[in-house]
Amino acid sequence: MVRKMDFHTVYRYIGQFCLIIQIVWGLDEVTFVNPPVEALPDYKLEILYSCDQPATIQLDCVVYFEMGTISTLLLTQWTCVPGDPDIRTMKLNLPDWLVYQADGIVPEPAGVLSCILQASVRYEGFDDNKRPITAKDVAALQLKPFFSRPVKQHQLCIAWSKQMLQLSEEFLQKQCPCEQETVHLLSTIYASTGETFGVTKTLDPFRNELLEYQRLKAISFPWCTFSIWIFVTSYCQESVCGVFHHIDSLDNYATPTLLLTNSGQLHIQISGEAEESSAFLSSFKVPLHEWCQLGVMLQGRAVTISMTCIDKEQRTIKFTEYMLRHAAVFDDTEGYFVIGGGKYIKSAEGYFGPVVYYRNRASSHVKSDVIPDVIKKVNLTGWLQTCEEFRFDMTLKIGGFSLKAKQETESETCFDALHKWMLKRKIPTNHLCELWEEAAPHRRQAAELAKLLVFKNGKAVSLPALGRALYSLSLHKLSRASSTAVVSRILPLLLQAGCLADNQALHMSSVLLSTGLGVQKQHNKAWLLALLAAQKDDRLSLLHLGYLHHQGLHGLPRDPDLACAYYANIAKQTIIDRHNPTPNQTFVEAIYLNDDEKLNLQTNKDHHIFQWLKLQASRGAVEAEQSLARMLFWGQQGLSPNIEEAVKHYRRGAVQLEDPVSMYDYGIVLLQGHGVEKDIPKAVTFLKKAMEQDFVPAINALAWYYEQFEHDYNQAVQLWEKADLLESPDAAFNLGVMYSGGLYPGEPANQYMAYKYYLKSAERAHVKGAVQLAEIWTTGIPGYVKRYPSDAALWVKWAAEHNGYLGSILQKALDSYLKSDMLISLLYYMMVAESGYAPAQFNVAYICEQNVGGFLDPADAARCMWRYYNLTIQSQNPDTYAFIKMGDLLYEGCDSRQKDLISAAQMYTMAALRNNPQGWYNLALLSEDGFRLPLSILIELGLSELYLADNNLLLNAFYKRCRDSGDTDSYLPCSLALYNVFLQSFHKDYSAAIKFSTTAAVVAAPTMFILGVLRRRALSVN
């Protein structure tokens, strides 16, 4: 049936046509003259507007909420009269909840993500419900954080009901926290190796005037208490070692300083005025292998030292009192406190528990009868007791087996006669098994391995040797496993190996229990095992604990000072390790398993790449000679370190090819005697030749020679200054050392100048410079440099991640992966990933994603991907592939989680901003699926003007950026997608042209099929 159009319908269509013509010719205009950047109260806004016919100018506030809803709030409107453009000035009245702090009258904003101002020219619609927009302008408003907003000064008295609302718990939670007079300097457990590392803390003055007045008054008459929990594993190697000490702004020991002597007594030092100080010893000794609470109470001139020790159910309390001859002086805001060791003293060896400082309270009964929950939770004494029983059992069995082996060797004839007699009497041979040979089922493999080692060597073996054998047996069993089901059977062997002093076994056990790979997660036990290994100076465990406290993972407190203590330990070991290269160390290479180019460069001595380099080097190729020497010296690209072989290539490059790089490297190994006999004159000769060819590192090395061997500081500084101008990181570091030690000619010691050079060297990627910079940022330089503990943690973490022993684990992981031994590769990568190394975290997630052979349960693989891709994107320089995968997981609702399209879009945005074409592609797919991208994301992408535009314009922008990203593999799919958008727009705008549209559909059909193949789950354009 054909319906006849009435007069009103014809009139409406004619009016719409005229309106379209008016829009095309641009007769209407509205523009913000001075759009605000932030949501401000009473902002004077100016709007330029004009219209061709009588119209309405409308100002709206469009608010986008976290739940995905949008609310449009009408702010004002006025009539536009045709004529010349006009400017209207008005006071911008935004809703109070966007501008002010919530105070009971101003309501709480409910999850506002972003908002924009929109000005528009509107005409009366031809339908009653529609008002066409002929022109508009938008401006994004940045919302201030809650506490940065002003408080509204209300003109009327607050009603009683509002006053009661302000007293509610919800409102009070937003108030600034009250100042605590009880300061928890350490709220967890710190494993101390007995070296010059400790936890540094500082205090600020009270903000409350009364409390600050009391504190200042108490400086010359201190009235306070310190509580320190400690577990000493061995007494000091030197005369004293640090427990808790205070360093003032002049780098002197201040009140209070608590040290431990090599006899176990406590040494207490209290400072007074006019450089007076007193020191005394406690009348008691701190016992070994017991948790003890040490108390230091200051009451004017009276000092009380107490100790409460807990051994099983017994509690021992001792104390010493001392009366000073002078007034004590204690300013807790001057200088810094150190728990354990510092740059002036080594730490007591063992474990430090919670350390509490009661600033204005002196009491001899400060929770002395309460064991902290963190000590109960870790159950250190329980582990040590069980371990001691196991060690005793293994010692007994090793002794028996060694005696038996000796008897069999000495009297083989007697044994044969006894055996014949047993056969004649038909006595079972197991009757010969003595009581000491019997083993509990869970210890049977350890006993059998001990027997095998004893009979193989013909003598007793040490417990550490048995531990190493148990660890090797565990790795052998894991390498033969095809699934994670075997892990639960191997874990007891690893724990036994750790009990017998194998720190690698402790760390691996900690990782398994922490991640739940094949076993049930036990975070407390995992933490205990990490503490045990770290206390024995295991590098990966130190890095692991530093990472846990740096990020605040697994329920442990986030503490950058504690993280620094762990990171600094391995960072300084890294410096030492690099000066003493061994075959057990490998250069740390950041290799991502999705990087085929780097994977293809992995080699060995029989590989074609290595053989090709040898051939090129024999033909005189300088670059090949350099590469061979570097790979062999540091153990790069899959090769094991071979320093002697590397030196041969250094020598050939220096002598035969006269290559300045090889001359420098050869000169360095001659100076230090690595792989060759030390020859300083010869080293200097090659370094000078390299310097003559303007090789900057050689300039620095010669300066070091003049400083170390000739003590010619003028010549050394002159060369270092020259190298520093050429961006040498070593030169900047060495100049810092000269200023710090007062060795710079004509200049006194200057720590601030040293700091500036350390900062410069660290920024040039110098490991030593990073460690020194972090040390300064940990304590600060009074009057010059503030403390930056969080930044210090980042620098020492970066330095620690260059450790060669970490590199060897990474190389084992990569070798296992290339051999398709996925389980052992995953485990090795996990050992490094749990220490916070981002490439290892990525590789763990990637192995779980690939799940070759299905060795992981699908649910476990999904959880693994979620955890480790999530950790990867939190690193400083994450791989963009991780953003894409996290976005996919959020989009799909991984591991029983609901879909989160906003978070998925944020992940794709992060990838797109790093020029990853897949990020742009996935954002376009989200838009095609009907998801409206938040304004905040479009602002971040620089596309805020398309927020209210047609969706095809947004898709066009996304696919263009995808196409133009510079990635050759993405050019075709992104171009096809862009062509598809063009066809859709064309079809939409000219739908009346049926014949042409039909032709376009035929052309578009294969394109749509191709794009369907490229969509999500299989949409990787890389």
Side-chain angles (χ1 to χ4, degrees):
M1 183 192 305
V2 179
R3 184 179 177 183
K4 186 177 180 181
M5 290 190 295
D6 58 12
F7 173 79
H8 292 288
T9 303
V10 174
Y11 179 80
R12 183 170 70 246
Y13 286 157
I14 293 173
Q16 287 178 349
F17 176 77
C18 294
L19 185 61
I20 292 171
I21 295 299
Q22 181 178 333
I23 293 171
V24 171
W25 284 101
L27 302 177
D28 297 323
E29 179 185 8
V30 62
T31 306
F32 290 110
V33 177
N34 60 337
V37 178
E38 296 180 324
L40 301 172
D42 302 329
Y43 181 81
K44 287 188 177 181
L45 180 65
E46 296 180 355
I47 298 178
L48 173 70
Y49 66 96
S50 66
C51 55
D52 187 63
Q53 299 294 330
T56 300
I57 310 298
Q58 184 168 312
L59 179 64
D60 297 312
C61 178
V62 183
V63 183
Y64 193 93
F65 295 89
E66 291 178 347
M67 300 301 293
T69 58
I70 301 174
S71 178
T72 301
L73 307 174
L74 174 62
L75 299 181
T76 186
Q77 59 184 17
W78 65 92
T79 302
C80 176
V81 178
D84 294 331
D86 193 9
I87 294 179
R88 186 180 184 93
T89 303
M90 70 193 73
K91 186 166 66 173
L92 182 60
N93 292 318
L94 293 170
D96 287 348
W97 45 272
L98 286 177
V99 177
Y100 297 103
Q101 295 187 27
D103 60 359
I105 297 178
V106 176
E108 172 76 15
V112 177
L113 275 180
S114 56
C115 71
I116 63 171
L117 286 179
Q118 176 181 282
S120 58
V121 179
R122 297 170 181 259
Y123 284 86
E124 291 296 330
F126 305 101
D127 289 335
D128 293 335
N129 299 324
K130 295 183 179 179
R131 303 183 68 191
I133 299 174
T134 60
K136 67 180 178 181
D137 191 16
V138 296
L141 289 180
Q142 184 71 33
L143 298 178
K144 283 191 172 184
F146 179 82
F147 285 107
S148 298
R149 299 181 186 180
V151 177
K152 186 170 184 178
Q153 302 299 318
H154 300 284
Q155 300 300 318
L156 300 176
C157 297
I158 299 176
W160 177 85
S161 59
K162 297 295 185 182
Q163 289 180 333
M164 293 300 101
L165 183 61
Q166 288 186 346
L167 297 176
S168 65
E169 181 179 354
E170 181 181 357
F171 180 80
L172 291 175
Q173 285 177 351
K174 295 179 182 177
Q175 305 304 308
C176 294
C178 296
E179 294 189 86
Q180 297 294 327
E181 295 180 81
T182 301
V183 182
H184 294 269
L185 298 174
L186 182 65
S187 57
T188 183
I189 296 177
Y190 166 55
S192 171
T193 59
E195 299 170 277
T196 55
F197 307 106
V199 183
T200 303
K201 295 288 182 179
T202 56
L203 297 177
D204 295 321
F206 287 114
R207 288 168 292 178
N208 182 278
E209 293 182 3
L210 178 59
L211 290 176
E212 180 61 11
Y213 171 76
Q214 292 176 345
R215 189 192 70 81
L216 293 173
K217 188 176 179 181
I219 289 178
S220 58
F221 195 84
W223 195 269
C224 58
T225 305
F226 289 87
S227 170
I228 305 162
W229 284 88
I230 191 170
F231 186 100
V232 181
T233 55
S234 64
Y235 292 134
C236 312
Q237 299 296 319
E238 300 177 0
S239 58
V240 290
C241 51
V243 175
F244 181 85
H245 58 279
H246 182 196
I247 303 295
D248 65 16
S249 56
L250 298 176
D251 287 341
N252 296 320
Y253 287 111
T255 304
T257 292
L258 186 66
L259 310 176
L260 184 69
T261 67
N262 52 14
S263 63
Q265 290 178 286
L266 292 172
H267 171 98
I268 302 92
Q269 185 169 318
I270 306 295
S271 302
E273 295 179 347
E275 298 184 357
E276 289 183 293
S277 63
S278 296
F280 60 95
L281 294 174
S282 64
S283 58
F284 52 83
K285 292 184 179 181
V286 178
L288 297 178
H289 308 298
E290 291 182 30
W291 276 112
C292 295
Q293 182 188 28
L294 306 179
V296 180
M297 184 171 61
L298 302 177
Q299 295 173 299
R301 293 193 177 192
V303 182
T304 304
I305 308 298
S306 62
M307 180 180 72
T308 304
C309 295
I310 303 164
D311 184 14
K312 298 179 182 178
E313 299 300 325
Q314 296 181 352
R315 190 181 304 273
T316 305
I317 302 176
K318 297 182 179 180
F319 63 91
T320 296
E321 294 181 342
Y322 187 83
M323 185 62 68
L324 301 174
R325 296 188 302 272
H326 56 82
V329 172
F330 176 40
D331 185 352
D332 60 8
T333 63
E334 184 190 17
Y336 55 91
F337 299 98
V338 180
I339 302 166
K343 56 184 176 182
Y344 303 115
I345 193 169
K346 290 185 177 181
S347 172
E349 191 172 342
Y351 305 88
F352 289 87
V355 177
V356 183
Y357 168 38
Y358 303 89
R359 294 184 86 169
N360 292 324
R361 181 179 172 191
S363 173
S364 57
H365 303 287
V366 179
K367 295 186 178 181
S368 60
D369 58 341
V370 178
I371 303 174
D373 290 336
V374 68
I375 292 178
K376 294 179 183 177
K377 183 169 64 176
V378 79
N379 194 19
L380 174 63
T381 52
W383 162 271
L384 293 176
Q385 183 179 351
T386 303
C387 190
E388 188 60 33
E389 292 174 359
F390 176 68
R391 292 171 66 88
F392 178 79
D393 187 20
M394 289 298 103
T395 301
L396 183 64
K397 285 177 170 49
I398 289 173
F401 288 137
S402 60
L403 181 61
K404 207 169 185 180
K406 184 178 180 181
Q407 290 173 349
E408 288 186 10
T409 304
E410 292 179 351
S411 54
E412 200 168 4
T413 306
C414 295
F415 179 77
D416 290 340
L418 178 61
H419 184 63
K420 290 177 182 178
W421 177 81
M422 287 178 60
L423 291 175
K424 185 178 180 181
R425 297 284 183 174
K426 297 182 179 180
I427 300 175
T429 55
N430 59 7
H431 281 191
L432 265 182
C433 181
E434 301 182 32
L435 290 176
W436 59 266
E437 290 188 76
E438 295 180 1
H442 62 282
R443 296 180 179 178
R444 194 164 293 153
Q445 290 192 67
E448 291 174 356
L449 187 58
K451 182 178 180 179
L452 177 65
L453 291 173
V454 168
F455 277 89
K456 181 179 179 181
N457 297 324
K459 60 180 180 179
V461 294
S462 65
L463 291 179
L466 177 58
R468 290 191 294 271
L470 280 169
Y471 179 62
S472 298
L473 177 63
S474 303
L475 293 180
H476 177 70
K477 289 178 176 289
L478 284 170
S479 64
R480 297 173 59 187
S482 58
S483 72
T484 58
V486 73
V487 175
S488 60
R489 299 193 296 272
I490 294 174
L491 181 60
L493 294 180
L494 289 171
L495 293 173
Q496 291 168 1
C499 182
L500 300 178
D502 192 290
N503 296 326
Q504 292 184 79
L506 284 174
H507 179 64
M508 183 176 285
S509 303
S510 174
V511 169
L512 291 173
L513 292 170
S514 176
T515 59
L517 181 65
V519 295
Q520 186 176 0
K521 285 185 180 181
Q522 299 182 51
H523 289 307
N524 289 340
K525 191 168 185 178
W527 182 33
L528 165 66
L529 298 174
L531 287 169
L532 291 165
Q535 200 277 322
K536 296 300 181 183
D537 219 14
D538 180 68
R539 291 164 175 80
L540 277 180
S541 296
L542 289 166
L543 193 59
H544 173 53
L545 287 173
Y547 181 63
L548 291 181
H549 289 290
H550 192 195
Q551 299 295 326
L553 302 176
H554 304 326
L556 297 180
R558 188 171 186 171
D559 188 340
D561 293 307
L562 179 54
C564 267
Y566 286 124
Y567 285 149
N569 192 325
I570 182 175
K572 289 192 176 180
Q573 288 190 73
T574 299
I575 295 172
I576 297 171
D577 292 339
R578 296 182 83 174
H579 282 283
N580 299 282
T582 65
N584 295 327
Q585 298 184 60
T586 303
F587 185 81
V588 178
E589 294 180 275
I591 298 176
Y592 292 85
L593 295 182
N594 66 334
D595 189 342
D596 292 333
E597 185 178 347
K598 282 193 175 181
L599 289 180
N600 292 333
L601 289 177
Q602 298 303 301
T603 183
N604 56 57
K605 288 195 173 182
D606 298 323
H607 195 271
H608 65 88
I609 292 179
F610 185 79
Q611 295 300 326
W612 180 82
L613 285 173
K614 287 187 68 175
L615 177 63
Q616 293 299 105
S618 65
R619 293 176 176 176
V622 173
E623 292 82 1
E625 200 75 72
Q626 292 174 1
S627 298
L628 284 172
R630 185 192 69 250
M631 291 160 61
L632 288 166
F633 190 89
W634 295 108
Q636 293 179 348
Q637 293 180 224
L639 290 178
S640 299
N642 188 333
I643 297 175
E644 288 77 13
E645 188 70 22
V647 170
K648 293 179 182 177
H649 290 283
Y650 285 145
R651 182 187 301 114
R652 188 160 54 198
V655 176
Q656 298 180 13
L657 305 179
E658 296 186 349
D659 169 40
V661 177
S662 299
M663 289 179 182
Y664 165 76
D665 289 328
Y666 188 46
I668 293 297
V669 296
L670 286 170
L671 268 180
Q672 299 180 342
H674 289 159
V676 67
E677 187 176 349
K678 187 181 291 188
D679 191 335
I680 295 174
K682 191 174 182 180
V684 172
T685 300
F686 280 104
L687 290 175
K688 286 183 176 179
K689 288 183 178 180
M691 186 180 73
E692 289 171 359
Q693 298 189 43
D694 297 324
F695 190 60
V696 177
I699 302 174
N700 174 78
L702 272 175
W704 183 82
Y705 162 77
Y706 282 116
E707 187 256 336
Q708 289 287 320
F709 294 94
E710 301 290 339
H711 302 294
D712 187 345
Y713 298 138
N714 287 300
Q715 181 68 13
V717 165
Q718 183 180 351
L719 289 172
W720 274 327
E721 293 283 9
K722 177 181 178 182
D724 178 51
L725 292 174
L726 297 171
E727 303 291 323
S728 167
D730 290 289
F733 172 78
N734 288 322
L735 287 170
V737 172
M738 298 295 282
Y739 273 110
S740 177
L743 300 175
Y744 196 99
E747 298 286 343
N750 190 328
Q751 301 306 318
Y752 180 65
M753 284 297 296
Y755 158 75
K756 292 171 69 175
Y757 278 107
Y758 291 148
L759 176 60
K760 188 188 296 186
S761 67
E763 290 173 342
R764 294 174 183 171
H766 195 274
V767 173
K768 284 185 181 180
V771 173
Q772 290 297 324
L773 175 65
E775 187 173 304
I776 292 174
W777 276 352
T778 299
T779 61
I781 300 177
Y784 293 95
V785 181
K786 295 181 179 179
R787 289 188 74 231
Y788 298 101
S790 297
D791 293 330
L794 289 174
W795 276 114
V796 279
K797 178 180 184 290
W798 173 82
E801 288 176 346
H802 288 74
N803 190 272
Y805 291 93
L806 180 143
S808 66
I809 300 294
L810 287 171
Q811 189 61 56
K812 290 177 183 178
L814 182 58
D815 290 342
S816 299
Y817 177 81
L818 295 175
K819 295 174 183 175
S820 298
D821 192 352
M822 294 303 167
L823 178 58
I824 200 71
S825 176
L826 177 67
L827 186 52
Y828 277 132
Y829 273 128
M830 273 186 170
M831 291 174 68
V832 184
E834 288 298 307
S835 300
Y837 186 60
Q841 292 173 337
F842 176 90
N843 290 342
V844 169
Y846 188 80
I847 291 174
C848 292
E849 179 192 347
Q850 301 299 312
N851 198 13
V852 177
F855 74 100
L856 288 173
D857 180 80
D860 292 337
R863 284 191 288 270
C864 170
M865 289 168 59
W866 179 275
R867 169 175 166 74
Y868 287 100
Y869 276 136
N870 199 6
L871 289 173
T872 303
I873 64 175
Q874 297 175 44
S875 61
Q876 287 182 287
N877 188 25
D879 190 282
T880 55
Y881 182 89
F883 285 115
I884 298 296
K885 297 311 299 182
M886 274 306 298
D888 291 347
L889 293 172
L890 288 162
Y891 176 84
E892 295 163 2
C894 168
D895 193 23
S896 302
R897 293 177 174 87
Q898 291 186 346
K899 288 187 175 184
D900 188 348
L901 298 186
I902 292 179
S903 297
Q906 289 172 339
M907 292 297 106
Y908 297 144
T909 299
M910 297 301 291
L913 290 173
R914 289 165 171 78
N915 203 34
N916 186 312
Q918 188 76 59
W920 295 110
Y921 196 95
N922 288 7
L923 285 170
L925 291 179
L926 281 176
S927 298
E928 283 193 67
D929 289 345
F931 176 70
R932 189 182 183 89
L933 292 173
L935 176 62
S936 57
I937 286 181
L938 293 179
I939 291 173
E940 209 171 346
L941 294 170
L943 298 172
S944 58
E945 69 278 3
L946 299 178
Y947 178 64
L948 298 176
D950 184 79
N951 196 46
N952 281 342
L953 292 177
L954 187 61
L955 293 175
N956 187 67
F958 285 153
Y959 286 131
K960 273 187 176 180
R961 295 194 181 190
C962 175
R963 181 197 63 187
D964 300 338
S965 63
D967 185 85
T968 54
D969 294 332
S970 66
Y971 186 84
L972 177 60
C974 296
S975 298
L976 289 174
L978 187 61
Y979 179 59
N980 180 54
V981 172
F982 168 75
L983 290 177
Q984 289 178 354
S985 301
F986 189 80
H987 181 270
K988 179 180 178 181
D989 293 340
Y990 297 95
S991 57
I994 299 173
K995 183 177 179 180
F996 187 86
S997 299
T998 305
T999 307
V1002 172
V1003 175
T1007 305
M1008 293 296 292
F1009 173 76
I1010 295 172
L1011 291 172
V1013 174
L1014 291 170
R1015 293 180 73 85
R1016 191 172 286 100
R1017 296 196 70 84
L1019 53 75
S1020 176
V1021 297
N1022 294 318

